[in-house]
């Protein structure tokens, strides 16, 4: 069974950093591109970042470019999101999502349950 | 990169069909067949229901169908059922800027 389990969310003050992790199991991790998608409470989905199977292709939403860094460790079946200079508008549930392809396509066929990041003073 | 455009809400009665439209540009929807649709029930993670414009994941009901034309994608749900009441999001690969963009979401109400 495919499982994606996010961790690392929590409460943080503006300007601080947080690192999210996603532990993957039940599929061949390095066969798939991976993504982070967020959803502010009561709002819609927003793609945050994606990384191809071999980390050769990486993309970011304009809203996080220069502040967030995505990475993966295929040996550990894990995806990460380093979030720096956090702002109140980054408050959201952050989902780890698996792409159906090894490149970035947006066809997210498996999702984690999400981890909540709250940025507030 | 602007979000794809979806109507905020749509409604239908059980047994009826509804269509949700998603409008983009030649840089996203119009640039490839890489359009996906997701269903999200309250408090749950989204679920993929259409990928590559018109393909259904294995095991998904054929009441769900998708299509694309120029810069617009559409999702049709036929034979509406109470459990179809949810939020629906379109998503497209984008050729420039961010790789992936979502629509704002459409809330489906089954009357």
């Amino acid at each position: 069974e495919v499982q994606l389990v996010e961790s690392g969310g929590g409460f943080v003050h503006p300007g601080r950093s947080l690192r999210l992790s996603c532990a993957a199991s039940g599929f061949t991790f390095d066969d798939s591109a991976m993504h982070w998608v967020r959803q502010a409470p009561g709002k819609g989905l927003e793609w945050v970042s994606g990384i191809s199977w071999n980390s050769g292709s990486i993309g970011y939403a304009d809203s996080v470019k220069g502040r967030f860094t995505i990475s993966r460790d295929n040996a550990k079946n894990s995806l990460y999101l380093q979030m720096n200079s956090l702002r109140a508008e980054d408050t959201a549930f952050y989902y780890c999502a698996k792409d159906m392809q090894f490149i970035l396509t947006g066809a997210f066929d498996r999702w984690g349950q999400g981890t909540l990041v709250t940025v507030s003073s | 990169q602007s979000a794809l455009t979806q109507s905020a809400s749509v409604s239908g009665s059980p047994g009826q069909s509804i269509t949700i439209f998603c409008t983009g540009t030649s840089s996203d929807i119009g640039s490839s067949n890489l359009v996906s649709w997701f269903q999200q029930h309250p408090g749950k993670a989204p679920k993929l229901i259409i990928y590559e414009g018109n393909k259904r994941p294995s095991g998904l009901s054929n009441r769900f169908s998708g299509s694309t034309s120029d810069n617009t994608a559409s999702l049709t749900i036929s034979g509406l059922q109470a459990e179809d009441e949810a939020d629906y999001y379109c998503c497209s690969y984008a050729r420039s800027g961010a790789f992936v963009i979502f629509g704002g979401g459409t809330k489906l109400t089954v009357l």
Side-chain angles (χ1 to χ4, degrees):
Chain A
E1 178 192 2
V2 172
Q3 280 200 314
L4 299 171
V5 180
E6 302 94 340
S7 61
F11 181 93
V12 64
H13 292 297
R16 304 301 293 266
S17 299
L18 213 54
R19 189 194 195 208
L20 304 184
S21 299
C22 172
S25 60
F27 66 101
T28 305
F29 185 68
D30 54 11
D31 276 353
S32 298
M34 298 293 297
H35 302 260
W36 290 99
V37 177
R38 70 184 180 184
Q39 186 170 36
K43 302 297 183 183
L45 300 173
E46 180 188 15
W47 179 78
V48 173
S49 182
I51 185 168
S52 63
W53 70 283
N54 63 351
S55 304
S57 183
I58 289 175
Y60 299 96
D62 287 345
S63 57
V64 307
K65 199 172 294 183
R67 300 187 299 123
F68 291 11
T69 302
I70 192 172
S71 62
R72 64 188 296 162
D73 185 336
N74 288 345
K76 295 183 178 179
N77 289 349
S78 293
L79 176 72
Y80 307 101
L81 186 68
Q82 177 67 41
M83 304 185 295
N84 298 333
S85 302
L86 282 162
R87 305 167 180 168
E89 54 264 37
D90 296 318
T91 294
F93 285 94
Y94 283 74
Y95 293 100
C96 168
K98 170 188 170 296
D99 204 300
M100 294 185 76
Q101 304 290 341
F102 60 92
I103 56 174
L104 306 179
T105 69
F108 312 123
D109 64 339
R110 293 291 189 273
W111 297 67
Q113 285 306 301
T115 186
L116 178 61
V117 172
T118 303
V119 184
S120 176
S121 54
Chain B
Q1 189 79 37
S2 300
L4 305 174
T5 301
Q6 296 180 239
S7 53
S9 63
V10 66
S11 62
S13 300
Q16 287 186 332
S17 296
I18 62 97
T19 298
I20 299 172
F21 293 97
C22 172
T23 303
T25 70
S26 57
S27 295
D28 37 69
I29 293 177
S31 71
S32 75
N33 68 336
L34 296 176
V35 174
S36 304
W37 288 90
F38 301 90
Q39 177 192 63
Q40 187 181 32
H41 288 106
K44 301 292 187 182
K47 174 185 175 182
L48 179 69
I49 55 174
I50 295 289
Y51 67 101
E52 292 179 13
N54 59 9
K55 297 180 180 178
R56 282 186 305 275
S58 176
L60 192 83
S61 169
N62 60 8
R63 297 187 300 106
F64 295 88
S65 62
S67 67
T68 58
S69 177
D70 295 328
N71 300 334
T72 300
S74 61
L75 170 71
T76 297
I77 307 174
S78 59
L80 272 178
Q81 300 178 0
E83 68 238 37
D84 298 331
E85 186 162 292
D87 293 323
Y88 291 84
Y89 294 90
C90 61
C91 174
S92 174
Y93 170 80
R95 195 171 289 279
S96 60
F99 279 89
V100 177
I101 53 173
F102 278 98
T106 297
K107 181 177 181 59
L108 168 62
T109 301
V110 180
L111 302 170

